[in-house]
Amino acid sequence: MNLRQLELLRAVIRCETTVGAARELGLSQPAVSNAVKHLEDQLGFALFERINNRLFPTQEARTLYQDSEPIFAMHTALEARVQDLRENRAGRIRIIATPPLGYGPIPVALQRFLARRPKVRISFDVLRLEDVAEKVELGVSELGFVLGIGDHPALKVEPVYEGRMVCALHRSHPLAGRDVITPADLRDLPFIALERGTRLGTAVRQAFEAAGEPFRHAVEVRYCHTACVLAASGIGVAVVDPFSPAGSGRPDLAVVPFEPATPVSAYVVASRSRPLSRLAGDFLKEVRMALDEATARLP
């Protein structure tokens, strides 16, 4: 007894006539009648009693109907699953980001993405640049979002944003009302530096050097997010990427353009050896839109 025969048996039981079953299955009435007779011959017992042109299932037929219910429930669930996958409404993707993007545009993209795909499961983490690159290379994460990465032999690196660094400072700071802040403006003021040796930390030091100003700092931190938290506490001024001030969640933080213009770029990284899933591709589109909106709000 195969699945098609079970499907036919269930249709006849539900409809109580071969005409109704034929209409439901898209078959002719003789084809259904012949199939029922063939199935009874194959099984060696009657499946229906025929009374007044209606078919009443025997106890054996009812038993088969009940026992086959889990099979067809699984089939219905599988069809729904296939539909979800076809429309990218189900599945799982793993995403990783460095703090400026992981605490800024990425959560915005995640909220919108999941609102339309409640069955999708996301694995998301925020780590430093070196760890992001390693996890994407090893296949632990499918997509990585970072600031300031160079060419990588095992990763596809694609820019998703290009901008410039900004100054973050408390709203009550004397420089908060400026149209632009330069290294000369920061002379003799408490300064929060990004860690020496990091890409962004090096970029800021080069900007001071280009302006002919000595680089002095009161505090040194690794992450722009940390620098923003300290700046919002009134400790000093920080030069950071443009996304971290909004991601710090501190309404008392002011943002002012920094000159000389110090470029900063955001990238998406993915494995060269593994194709990107359709789900990850759709999420990347959502991230691009979130970045465009965040860029429009930048000073």
Side-chain angles (χ1 to χ4, degrees):
M1 189 177 194
N2 57 42
L3 286 176
R4 181 58 174 170
Q5 290 172 317
L6 269 176
E7 183 182 28
L8 185 143
L9 171 64
R10 291 167 60 84
V12 175
I13 291 175
R14 285 195 303 271
C15 298
E16 297 184 351
T17 67
T18 54
V19 173
R23 188 181 303 113
E24 182 177 304
L25 297 173
L27 299 172
S28 67
Q29 187 275 332
V32 173
S33 296
N34 290 335
V36 171
K37 185 177 184 305
H38 176 72
L39 181 56
E40 289 178 324
D41 291 342
Q42 180 182 333
L43 295 175
F45 53 80
L47 294 171
F48 298 95
E49 294 180 9
R50 294 156 177 83
I51 303 173
N52 296 329
N53 293 325
R54 288 197 173 274
L55 298 178
F56 294 90
T58 62
Q59 183 58 49
E60 290 81 1
R62 293 184 183 278
T63 298
L64 290 174
Y65 187 97
Q66 292 170 358
D67 289 350
S68 66
E69 190 66 35
I71 297 174
F72 285 87
M74 289 178 61
H75 182 259
T76 300
L78 182 60
E79 285 187 323
R81 175 74 165 173
V82 169
Q83 183 69 15
D84 286 341
L85 291 173
R86 181 183 299 119
E87 299 176 4
N88 271 0
R89 296 184 306 190
R92 180 184 181 92
I93 53 175
R94 293 174 172 83
I95 301 160
I96 193 168
T98 53
L101 300 174
Y103 295 138
I106 301 299
V108 175
L110 277 174
Q111 188 277 327
R112 295 174 180 173
F113 185 78
L114 290 173
R116 293 195 297 272
R117 299 172 178 83
K119 296 180 183 179
V120 171
R121 295 295 173 261
I122 303 286
S123 174
F124 177 56
D125 200 1
V126 177
L127 295 173
R128 63 180 186 171
L129 174 62
E130 295 82 357
D131 293 330
V132 171
E134 180 183 14
K135 287 185 179 296
V136 174
E137 180 181 355
L138 294 176
V140 177
S141 292
E142 188 170 6
L143 285 176
F145 296 92
V146 301
L147 292 182
I149 188 173
D151 292 334
H152 194 289
L155 299 177
K156 291 185 293 186
V157 180
E158 181 181 349
V160 290
Y161 166 82
E162 294 182 0
R164 53 187 286 185
M165 299 185 75
V166 298
C167 284
L169 62 168
H170 194 276
R171 291 193 179 279
S172 64
H173 194 283
L175 298 179
R178 293 284 189 93
D179 292 330
V180 66
I181 295 175
T182 68
D185 297 324
L186 298 173
R187 187 188 306 157
D188 300 326
L189 293 178
F191 185 68
I192 304 165
L194 300 177
E195 190 176 85
R196 180 185 298 275
T198 61
R199 291 180 182 271
L200 298 186
T202 299
V204 174
R205 285 167 172 79
Q206 290 174 344
F208 273 73
E209 182 179 349
E213 290 292 329
F215 186 84
R216 303 187 184 94
H217 60 272
V219 183
E220 187 178 55
V221 300
R222 181 174 182 84
Y223 296 116
C224 291
H225 184 271
T226 308
C228 289
V229 172
L230 297 185
S233 299
I235 292 175
V237 181
V239 178
V240 298
D241 71 90
F243 301 111
S244 289
S248 68
R250 300 296 294 264
D252 47 357
L253 195 65
V255 179
V256 178
F258 175 69
E259 287 189 0
T262 305
V264 59
S265 299
Y267 300 87
V268 57
V269 295
S271 172
R272 290 186 184 273
S273 60
R274 289 177 292 275
L276 204 62
S277 68
R278 292 172 58 219
L279 207 58
D282 282 354
F283 179 72
L284 178 54
K285 293 177 184 176
E286 201 71 64
V287 171
R288 289 183 183 279
M289 287 190 288
L291 283 168
D292 287 344
E293 293 174 6
T295 301
R297 295 191 296 268
L298 295 176

